[in-house]
Amino acid sequence: MSEPYANAGTVSPWPHRWAWVLCCATYPLIWIGGLITTTDAGMAVPDWPGTYGYNLWLYPWSTWFFGPWDLFVEHGHRLFASGVGLLTIGLVVVVFRCDRRAWLRWLALAALALVIWQGVLGGLRVVLNERLLGFAHGSTGPLFFALTAVIVALTARNDEPRPSGSDQAAPLWPWLLAGLIYLQIIAGAALRHVPEASSFNTFALHVQAHLWGALLVTLSVVAAAIVAWRWPVGRSPRVLASLMAAVLAVQVSLGVATWVAKYRLPAFAQTGVAADAWDAIAGAGTMAPSTAGGWTETYVVTGHSATGSLLLALAAAHAVVARRRTSTASNTELSSHRDEPSAASAGPA
């Protein structure tokens, strides 16, 4: 039987280091992808996998840098995505060369399969010009990012002592929390990709689903932070739960800012000092969508989307760390047992 998680000093540190590089490279890609959706630049390049007939890597850099913004961000997204794909291939190679654990090898292969699928979805979205594929593409990116965070957590050192008094059974609720956050990301992606020809009722339904999901996620993350600080769950889960709470605060603030940026202040707030302050920033508004845009609105909306992916990655890592806490004692015992010489091979005292 193989160990389910790494024990300190028994495996190479390189899979963990490579996983960190991949995870850190994926988050900017999430940002760039969200920026494309926000600015509606997804069809700036009509062909795929090349760019206007050129090989992806051979497209003239002067045209890319000094061309239109849509072309700059779309082609840049493709270059960055191909780089993340190469890093994922590198992760598979490092894991197969440095680690014999079958489950980690399968997980690295799953990451490779997912990043390939994500690239295919992005390409088909361009070739077929289909918004539904854009929705699928936008929903798969956060899932891949969360998987990289899971690999980082799984390949980390596991030498922290297990807190006394903690339950033996692996908690299920951290995984449910991660699943709830992912469902909320899907609801947000559906809202961002609502067809322009949809009715007001369809749009309102998406908005309500996203708002109710935000409430459930907020309550769940706050509960996770309370549990982490009131019960002996260990240092690592406590740190991750605290980070989730901090990121949640940023996410809620960006969500409110996104609503105000796109739909202005509600009618009850457009009187007195509040209205005067808002008029000084963006001019008098109504609840009609804002079509003027601007860099502030663009980055606020994109930041809201990208921060949701960060919250999902933290929740997935928290679920893994919480699971590892229950297996530390058994893994230490198994490792000690393996280090003991067998009766057949032991020499005379």
Coordinates of all heavy atoms in Angstrom, one line a residue, residues 230-312:
R230 N -11.7 28.4 16.4 CA -12.3 27.9 17.7 C -12.0 26.4 18.0 O -12.1 26.0 19.1 CB -13.8 28.0 17.6 CG -14.3 29.5 17.7 CD -15.8 29.6 17.6 NE -16.5 28.9 18.8 CZ -16.8 29.5 19.9 NH1 -16.5 30.7 20.1 NH2 -17.4 28.8 20.9
W231 N -11.5 25.7 17.0 CA -11.2 24.3 17.2 C -9.8 24.0 16.9 O -9.2 24.7 16.0 CB -12.1 23.4 16.4 CG -13.5 23.1 17.0 CD1 -13.8 22.1 17.8 CD2 -14.6 23.9 16.9 NE1 -15.1 22.2 18.2 CE2 -15.6 23.3 17.7 CE3 -14.9 25.1 16.2 CZ2 -16.9 23.8 17.8 CZ3 -16.2 25.6 16.4 CH2 -17.2 25.0 17.1
P232 N -9.2 22.9 17.4 CA -7.7 22.6 17.2 C -7.5 22.0 15.8 O -7.3 20.8 15.7 CB -7.4 21.7 18.3 CG -8.7 21.0 18.7 CD -9.8 22.0 18.4
V233 N -7.6 22.7 14.8 CA -7.5 22.2 13.4 C -6.1 22.2 12.9 O -5.8 21.6 11.9 CB -8.4 22.9 12.4 CG1 -9.9 22.8 12.8 CG2 -8.0 24.4 12.4
G234 N -5.2 22.9 13.6 CA -3.8 23.0 13.1 C -3.5 24.3 12.5 O -4.4 25.1 12.1
R235 N -2.2 24.6 12.3 CA -1.8 25.9 11.8 C -2.1 26.1 10.4 O -2.6 27.2 10.0 CB -0.3 26.1 12.0 CG 0.3 27.4 11.6 CD 1.7 27.5 11.9 NE 2.5 26.5 11.3 CZ 2.9 26.5 10.0 NH1 2.7 27.6 9.2 NH2 3.6 25.5 9.5
S236 N -1.8 25.1 9.5 CA -2.0 25.3 8.1 C -3.5 25.5 7.7 O -3.8 26.4 7.0 CB -1.5 24.1 7.3 OG -0.1 24.0 7.5
P237 N -4.4 24.7 8.2 CA -5.8 24.9 7.9 C -6.3 26.3 8.4 O -7.1 27.0 7.8 CB -6.6 23.8 8.6 CG -5.6 22.7 8.7 CD -4.3 23.4 8.9
R238 N -5.8 26.7 9.6 CA -6.2 28.0 10.1 C -5.7 29.1 9.3 O -6.4 30.1 9.0 CB -5.6 28.1 11.5 CG -6.0 29.4 12.3 CD -5.7 29.3 13.7 NE -6.4 28.2 14.4 CZ -6.2 27.8 15.6 NH1 -5.1 28.2 16.3 NH2 -6.9 26.8 16.1
V239 N -4.5 29.0 8.8 CA -4.0 30.1 7.9 C -4.8 30.2 6.6 O -5.1 31.3 6.1 CB -2.5 29.8 7.6 CG1 -2.0 30.8 6.4 CG2 -1.6 30.0 8.8
L240 N -5.1 29.0 6.0 CA -5.8 29.0 4.8 C -7.3 29.5 5.0 O -7.8 30.2 4.1 CB -5.9 27.6 4.2 CG -4.6 27.1 3.6 CD1 -4.6 25.6 3.2 CD2 -4.3 27.9 2.3
A241 N -7.9 29.2 6.1 CA -9.2 29.7 6.4 C -9.2 31.2 6.6 O -10.1 31.9 6.1 CB -9.8 29.0 7.6
S242 N -8.2 31.7 7.2 CA -8.1 33.1 7.4 C -7.9 33.8 6.0 O -8.4 34.9 5.8 CB -6.9 33.5 8.3 OG -7.1 32.9 9.6
L243 N -7.0 33.2 5.2 CA -6.8 33.8 3.8 C -8.2 33.8 3.0 O -8.5 34.8 2.3 CB -5.8 33.0 3.1 CG -4.3 33.2 3.5 CD1 -3.4 32.3 2.8 CD2 -3.9 34.7 3.3
M244 N -8.9 32.7 3.2 CA -10.2 32.7 2.5 C -11.1 33.8 3.0 O -11.8 34.4 2.2 CB -10.9 31.3 2.7 CG -10.4 30.2 1.9 SD -11.5 28.8 1.9 CE -11.4 28.3 3.6
A245 N -11.1 34.0 4.3 CA -12.0 35.1 4.8 C -11.5 36.5 4.3 O -12.4 37.3 3.9 CB -11.9 35.1 6.3
A246 N -10.2 36.7 4.2 CA -9.7 38.0 3.7 C -10.0 38.1 2.2 O -10.5 39.2 1.8 CB -8.2 38.0 3.9
V247 N -9.8 37.1 1.4 CA -10.1 37.1 0.0 C -11.7 37.3 -0.2 O -12.1 38.0 -1.1 CB -9.6 35.9 -0.7 CG1 -10.2 35.8 -2.1 CG2 -8.1 35.8 -0.7
L248 N -12.5 36.7 0.7 CA -13.9 36.9 0.6 C -14.3 38.4 0.8 O -15.1 38.9 0.0 CB -14.6 36.0 1.6 CG -16.1 36.2 1.7 CD1 -16.8 35.7 0.5 CD2 -16.7 35.5 2.9
A249 N -13.6 39.0 1.7 CA -13.9 40.4 2.0 C -13.6 41.3 0.7 O -14.4 42.2 0.3 CB -13.2 40.9 3.2
V250 N -12.5 41.0 0.1 CA -12.1 41.7 -1.2 C -13.2 41.3 -2.3 O -13.6 42.2 -3.0 CB -10.7 41.3 -1.6 CG1 -10.4 41.9 -3.0 CG2 -9.7 41.7 -0.6
Q251 N -13.5 40.1 -2.3 CA -14.5 39.6 -3.4 C -15.8 40.3 -3.2 O -16.4 40.7 -4.2 CB -14.6 38.1 -3.4 CG -15.6 37.5 -4.3 CD -15.2 37.6 -5.8 OE1 -14.3 38.4 -6.1 NE2 -15.8 36.8 -6.6
V252 N -16.3 40.4 -2.0 CA -17.6 41.0 -1.8 C -17.5 42.5 -2.2 O -18.4 43.1 -2.8 CB -18.1 40.8 -0.3 CG1 -19.3 41.7 0.0 CG2 -18.4 39.4 -0.1
S253 N -16.4 43.2 -1.8 CA -16.3 44.6 -2.1 C -16.2 44.8 -3.6 O -16.8 45.7 -4.2 CB -15.0 45.1 -1.5 OG -15.0 45.0 0.0
L254 N -15.5 43.9 -4.3 CA -15.4 44.0 -5.8 C -16.8 43.7 -6.4 O -17.1 44.3 -7.4 CB -14.4 43.0 -6.3 CG -12.9 43.4 -6.1 CD1 -12.0 42.3 -6.5 CD2 -12.6 44.7 -6.8
G255 N -17.6 42.8 -5.8 CA -18.9 42.5 -6.3 C -19.8 43.7 -6.2 O -20.5 44.1 -7.2
V256 N -19.8 44.4 -5.1 CA -20.5 45.6 -5.0 C -20.1 46.7 -5.9 O -20.9 47.4 -6.6 CB -20.5 46.2 -3.5 CG1 -21.2 47.5 -3.4 CG2 -21.1 45.2 -2.5
A257 N -18.7 46.8 -6.1 CA -18.2 47.8 -7.0 C -18.5 47.5 -8.4 O -18.8 48.4 -9.3 CB -16.7 47.9 -6.8
T258 N -18.6 46.2 -8.8 CA -19.0 45.8 -10.1 C -20.4 46.2 -10.4 O -20.7 46.7 -11.5 CB -18.8 44.2 -10.2 OG1 -17.4 43.9 -10.1 CG2 -19.3 43.8 -11.6
W259 N -21.3 45.9 -9.4 CA -22.7 46.3 -9.6 C -22.8 47.8 -9.9 O -23.5 48.3 -10.8 CB -23.5 45.9 -8.4 CG -25.0 46.2 -8.6 CD1 -25.6 47.4 -8.1 CD2 -26.0 45.5 -9.3 NE1 -26.9 47.4 -8.5 CE2 -27.2 46.2 -9.2 CE3 -26.0 44.2 -9.9 CZ2 -28.4 45.7 -9.7 CZ3 -27.2 43.8 -10.5 CH2 -28.3 44.5 -10.4
V260 N -22.1 48.6 -9.0 CA -22.2 50.0 -9.1 C -21.6 50.5 -10.5 O -22.2 51.4 -11.1 CB -21.5 50.7 -8.0 CG1 -21.5 52.2 -8.1 CG2 -22.3 50.4 -6.7
A261 N -20.5 49.9 -10.9 CA -19.9 50.3 -12.1 C -20.7 50.0 -13.3 O -20.8 50.8 -14.3 CB -18.5 49.6 -12.2
K262 N -21.4 48.9 -13.3 CA -22.2 48.5 -14.5 C -23.6 49.1 -14.5 O -24.2 49.3 -15.5 CB -22.3 47.0 -14.6 CG -20.9 46.3 -14.9 CD -21.1 44.8 -15.0 CE -21.9 44.4 -16.3 NZ -21.2 44.8 -17.5
Y263 N -24.2 49.2 -13.3 CA -25.6 49.6 -13.2 C -25.9 50.9 -12.4 O -27.0 51.3 -12.2 CB -26.5 48.5 -12.6 CG -26.3 47.2 -13.4 CD1 -25.6 46.1 -12.8 CD2 -26.8 47.0 -14.7 CE1 -25.4 45.0 -13.5 CE2 -26.6 45.9 -15.4 CZ -25.9 44.8 -14.8 OH -25.7 43.7 -15.5
R264 N -24.8 51.5 -12.0 CA -24.9 52.8 -11.2 C -25.5 52.5 -9.9 O -25.9 51.4 -9.5 CB -25.6 53.9 -12.0 CG -25.0 54.1 -13.4 CD -23.5 54.3 -13.4 NE -23.0 54.7 -14.6 CZ -21.7 54.6 -15.0 NH1 -20.9 54.0 -14.2 NH2 -21.3 55.1 -16.2
L265 N -25.7 53.6 -9.2 CA -26.4 53.5 -7.8 C -27.8 53.2 -8.0 O -28.5 53.7 -8.9 CB -26.2 54.8 -7.1 CG -24.7 55.1 -6.6 CD1 -24.7 56.5 -6.0 CD2 -24.2 54.1 -5.7
P266 N -28.4 52.5 -7.0 CA -29.9 52.3 -7.1 C -30.6 53.6 -6.8 O -30.0 54.6 -6.4 CB -30.1 51.3 -5.9 CG -29.0 51.4 -5.1 CD -27.8 51.8 -5.9
A267 N -31.9 53.6 -7.1 CA -32.7 54.8 -7.1 C -32.7 55.5 -5.7 O -32.6 56.7 -5.6 CB -34.1 54.6 -7.6
F268 N -32.8 54.6 -4.6 CA -32.9 55.2 -3.3 C -31.6 55.9 -2.9 O -31.6 56.7 -1.9 CB -33.2 54.1 -2.3 CG -32.1 53.1 -2.1 CD1 -31.1 53.3 -1.2 CD2 -32.2 51.9 -2.8 CE1 -30.1 52.3 -1.0 CE2 -31.2 50.9 -2.6 CZ -30.2 51.1 -1.7
A269 N -30.4 55.5 -3.5 CA -29.2 56.1 -3.2 C -28.8 57.3 -4.0 O -27.8 58.0 -3.7 CB -28.1 55.1 -3.3
Q270 N -29.6 57.7 -5.0 CA -29.3 58.7 -5.9 C -29.9 60.1 -5.4 O -30.4 60.8 -6.2 CB -29.7 58.4 -7.3 CG -29.0 57.2 -7.9 CD -29.3 57.0 -9.3 OE1 -29.6 58.0 -10.0 NE2 -29.2 55.8 -9.8
T271 N -29.8 60.3 -4.2 CA -30.3 61.6 -3.6 C -29.2 62.1 -2.6 O -28.5 61.3 -2.0 CB -31.6 61.4 -2.9 OG1 -31.5 60.5 -1.8 CG2 -32.7 61.0 -3.9
G272 N -29.2 63.4 -2.4 CA -28.3 64.0 -1.4 C -26.9 63.8 -1.7 O -26.4 63.8 -2.8
V273 N -26.1 63.6 -0.6 CA -24.7 63.6 -0.7 C -24.2 62.4 -1.5 O -23.2 62.5 -2.2 CB -24.1 63.5 0.8 CG1 -22.6 63.4 0.7 CG2 -24.5 64.7 1.6
A274 N -24.8 61.2 -1.3 CA -24.4 60.0 -2.1 C -24.4 60.3 -3.6 O -23.5 59.9 -4.3 CB -25.3 58.8 -1.7
A275 N -25.5 60.9 -4.0 CA -25.6 61.1 -5.5 C -24.6 62.1 -5.9 O -24.0 62.0 -7.0 CB -27.0 61.6 -5.8
D276 N -24.4 63.2 -5.1 CA -23.4 64.2 -5.5 C -22.0 63.6 -5.6 O -21.2 63.9 -6.5 CB -23.4 65.3 -4.5 CG -24.7 66.1 -4.5 OD1 -25.4 66.0 -5.5 OD2 -25.0 66.7 -3.4
A277 N -21.7 62.7 -4.6 CA -20.4 62.1 -4.7 C -20.2 61.2 -5.9 O -19.2 61.2 -6.5 CB -20.1 61.3 -3.4
W278 N -21.3 60.4 -6.2 CA -21.2 59.6 -7.3 C -21.2 60.3 -8.6 O -20.4 60.0 -9.6 CB -22.4 58.6 -7.3 CG -22.4 57.7 -8.6 CD1 -23.2 57.8 -9.6 CD2 -21.4 56.7 -8.9 NE1 -22.9 56.8 -10.6 CE2 -21.8 56.2 -10.1 CE3 -20.4 56.2 -8.2 CZ2 -21.1 55.1 -10.7 CZ3 -19.6 55.1 -8.8 CH2 -20.0 54.6 -10.0
D279 N -21.9 61.4 -8.7 CA -21.9 62.3 -9.9 C -20.5 62.8 -10.2 O -20.1 63.0 -11.3 CB -22.9 63.4 -9.8 CG -24.3 62.9 -9.8 OD1 -24.5 61.7 -10.2 OD2 -25.2 63.7 -9.5
A280 N -19.8 63.1 -9.1 CA -18.4 63.6 -9.3 C -17.5 62.6 -9.9 O -16.5 62.9 -10.5 CB -17.9 64.1 -8.0
I281 N -17.8 61.3 -9.7 CA -17.0 60.2 -10.2 C -17.4 59.8 -11.6 O -16.6 59.7 -12.5 CB -17.0 59.0 -9.2 CG1 -16.4 59.4 -7.8 CG2 -16.2 57.9 -9.8 CD1 -16.6 58.4 -6.8
A282 N -18.7 59.5 -11.7 CA -19.1 58.9 -13.0 C -20.3 59.6 -13.6 O -20.8 59.1 -14.6 CB -19.5 57.4 -12.7
G283 N -20.8 60.6 -13.0 CA -21.9 61.3 -13.6 C -23.2 60.7 -13.1 O -23.2 59.5 -12.6
A284 N -24.3 61.4 -13.3 CA -25.6 60.9 -12.8 C -25.9 59.6 -13.6 O -25.7 59.5 -14.8 CB -26.7 61.9 -13.0
G285 N -26.5 58.6 -12.9 CA -26.8 57.3 -13.5 C -28.1 56.8 -13.2 O -28.9 57.4 -12.4
T286 N -28.5 55.8 -13.8 CA -29.7 55.1 -13.6 C -29.4 53.6 -13.4 O -28.2 53.2 -13.4 CB -30.7 55.2 -14.8 OG1 -30.2 54.6 -15.9 CG2 -31.0 56.7 -15.0
M287 N -30.4 52.8 -13.3 CA -30.2 51.3 -13.2 C -29.9 50.7 -14.6 O -29.8 49.5 -14.7 CB -31.4 50.7 -12.5 CG -31.5 51.0 -11.1 SD -30.0 50.6 -10.1 CE -30.1 48.8 -10.2
A288 N -29.9 51.5 -15.6 CA -29.6 50.9 -17.0 C -28.1 50.5 -17.0 O -27.3 51.1 -16.4 CB -29.9 52.0 -18.0
P289 N -27.8 49.5 -17.8 CA -26.4 49.1 -17.9 C -25.5 50.2 -18.4 O -25.9 51.0 -19.2 CB -26.4 47.9 -18.9 CG -27.8 47.4 -18.8 CD -28.6 48.6 -18.6
S290 N -24.3 50.2 -17.9 CA -23.3 51.2 -18.3 C -22.6 50.6 -19.5 O -21.9 49.6 -19.5 CB -22.3 51.5 -17.2 OG -21.2 52.2 -17.7
T291 N -22.7 51.3 -20.7 CA -22.0 50.9 -21.9 C -20.8 51.6 -22.2 O -20.0 51.3 -23.1 CB -23.0 51.0 -23.1 OG1 -23.4 52.4 -23.2 CG2 -24.2 50.1 -22.9
A292 N -20.5 52.7 -21.5 CA -19.3 53.6 -21.7 C -18.1 52.8 -21.3 O -17.0 52.9 -22.0 CB -19.4 54.9 -21.0
G293 N -18.1 52.1 -20.3 CA -17.0 51.3 -19.8 C -15.9 52.2 -19.3 O -16.1 53.2 -18.6
G294 N -14.6 51.9 -19.5 CA -13.5 52.6 -19.0 C -12.6 51.7 -18.2 O -13.0 50.6 -17.9
W295 N -11.4 52.1 -18.0 CA -10.4 51.2 -17.4 C -10.8 50.8 -16.0 O -10.6 49.7 -15.5 CB -9.0 51.8 -17.4 CG -8.4 51.8 -18.8 CD1 -8.1 52.8 -19.6 CD2 -8.0 50.6 -19.5 NE1 -7.6 52.3 -20.8 CE2 -7.5 51.0 -20.8 CE3 -8.0 49.2 -19.2 CZ2 -7.0 50.1 -21.7 CZ3 -7.5 48.3 -20.2 CH2 -7.1 48.8 -21.4
T296 N -11.3 51.8 -15.2 CA -11.7 51.5 -13.9 C -12.7 50.4 -13.8 O -12.6 49.4 -13.1 CB -12.2 52.7 -13.1 OG1 -11.2 53.7 -13.1 CG2 -12.6 52.4 -11.7
E297 N -13.8 50.5 -14.6 CA -14.8 49.5 -14.6 C -14.3 48.2 -15.1 O -14.6 47.1 -14.6 CB -16.0 50.0 -15.5 CG -17.1 49.0 -15.7 CD -18.2 49.5 -16.6 OE1 -18.4 50.7 -16.7 OE2 -18.8 48.6 -17.3
T298 N -13.4 48.2 -16.1 CA -12.9 47.0 -16.7 C -12.1 46.2 -15.7 O -12.3 45.0 -15.5 CB -12.0 47.3 -17.9 OG1 -12.7 48.0 -18.9 CG2 -11.3 46.1 -18.5
Y299 N -11.3 46.9 -14.9 CA -10.4 46.1 -14.0 C -11.2 45.7 -12.7 O -10.9 44.7 -12.1 CB -9.2 47.0 -13.6 CG -8.2 47.0 -14.7 CD1 -7.8 48.1 -15.4 CD2 -7.5 45.8 -15.0 CE1 -6.9 48.1 -16.4 CE2 -6.6 45.7 -16.0 CZ -6.3 46.9 -16.7 OH -5.3 46.9 -17.7
V300 N -12.2 46.5 -12.4 CA -13.1 46.1 -11.2 C -13.8 44.8 -11.6 O -13.9 43.9 -10.8 CB -14.0 47.3 -10.9 CG1 -15.2 46.7 -9.9 CG2 -13.3 48.4 -10.2
V301 N -14.5 44.8 -12.7 CA -15.2 43.6 -13.2 C -14.3 42.4 -13.3 O -14.6 41.3 -12.8 CB -16.0 43.9 -14.5 CG1 -16.7 42.7 -15.0 CG2 -17.0 45.1 -14.3
T302 N -13.2 42.6 -14.0 CA -12.3 41.5 -14.2 C -11.7 41.0 -12.8 O -11.5 39.8 -12.6 CB -11.1 41.9 -15.1 OG1 -11.7 42.4 -16.3 CG2 -10.2 40.8 -15.4
G303 N -11.4 42.0 -11.9 CA -10.9 41.6 -10.6 C -11.9 40.8 -9.8 O -11.5 39.8 -9.1
H304 N -13.2 41.1 -10.0 CA -14.2 40.3 -9.3 C -14.2 38.9 -9.8 O -14.3 38.0 -9.0 CB -15.6 41.0 -9.5 CG -16.7 40.3 -8.9 ND1 -16.8 40.1 -7.5 CD2 -17.8 39.7 -9.4 CE1 -17.9 39.4 -7.2 NE2 -18.5 39.2 -8.3
S305 N -14.1 38.7 -11.1 CA -14.1 37.4 -11.6 C -12.8 36.6 -11.2 O -12.9 35.4 -10.8 CB -14.1 37.5 -13.2 OG -14.0 36.2 -13.7
A306 N -11.7 37.3 -11.3 CA -10.4 36.6 -10.9 C -10.3 36.3 -9.5 O -9.7 35.2 -9.1 CB -9.2 37.4 -11.4
T307 N -10.8 37.1 -8.6 CA -10.8 36.9 -7.2 C -11.6 35.7 -6.8 O -11.3 34.9 -5.9 CB -11.2 38.1 -6.4 OG1 -10.4 39.2 -6.8 CG2 -11.0 37.9 -4.9
G308 N -12.7 35.5 -7.5 CA -13.5 34.3 -7.3 C -12.7 33.0 -7.5 O -12.8 32.0 -6.8
S309 N -11.9 33.0 -8.6 CA -11.0 31.9 -8.9 C -10.0 31.7 -7.8 O -9.7 30.5 -7.4 CB -10.3 32.0 -10.2 OG -11.2 32.1 -11.3
L310 N -9.5 32.8 -7.2 CA -8.5 32.7 -6.1 C -9.1 32.1 -4.9 O -8.5 31.2 -4.2 CB -7.9 34.1 -5.8 CG -6.9 34.1 -4.7 CD1 -5.7 33.2 -5.0 CD2 -6.5 35.6 -4.5
L311 N -10.4 32.5 -4.6 CA -11.1 31.9 -3.5 C -11.3 30.4 -3.6 O -11.2 29.6 -2.7 CB -12.4 32.6 -3.3 CG -13.3 32.2 -2.1 CD1 -12.5 32.6 -0.8 CD2 -14.6 33.0 -2.1
L312 N -11.6 30.0 -4.9 CA -11.8 28.5 -5.1 C -10.5 27.8 -4.9 O -10.5 26.7 -4.3 CB -12.3 28.3 -6.6 CG -12.4 26.9 -7.0 CD1 -13.4 26.1 -6.2 CD2 -12.7 26.8 -8.5

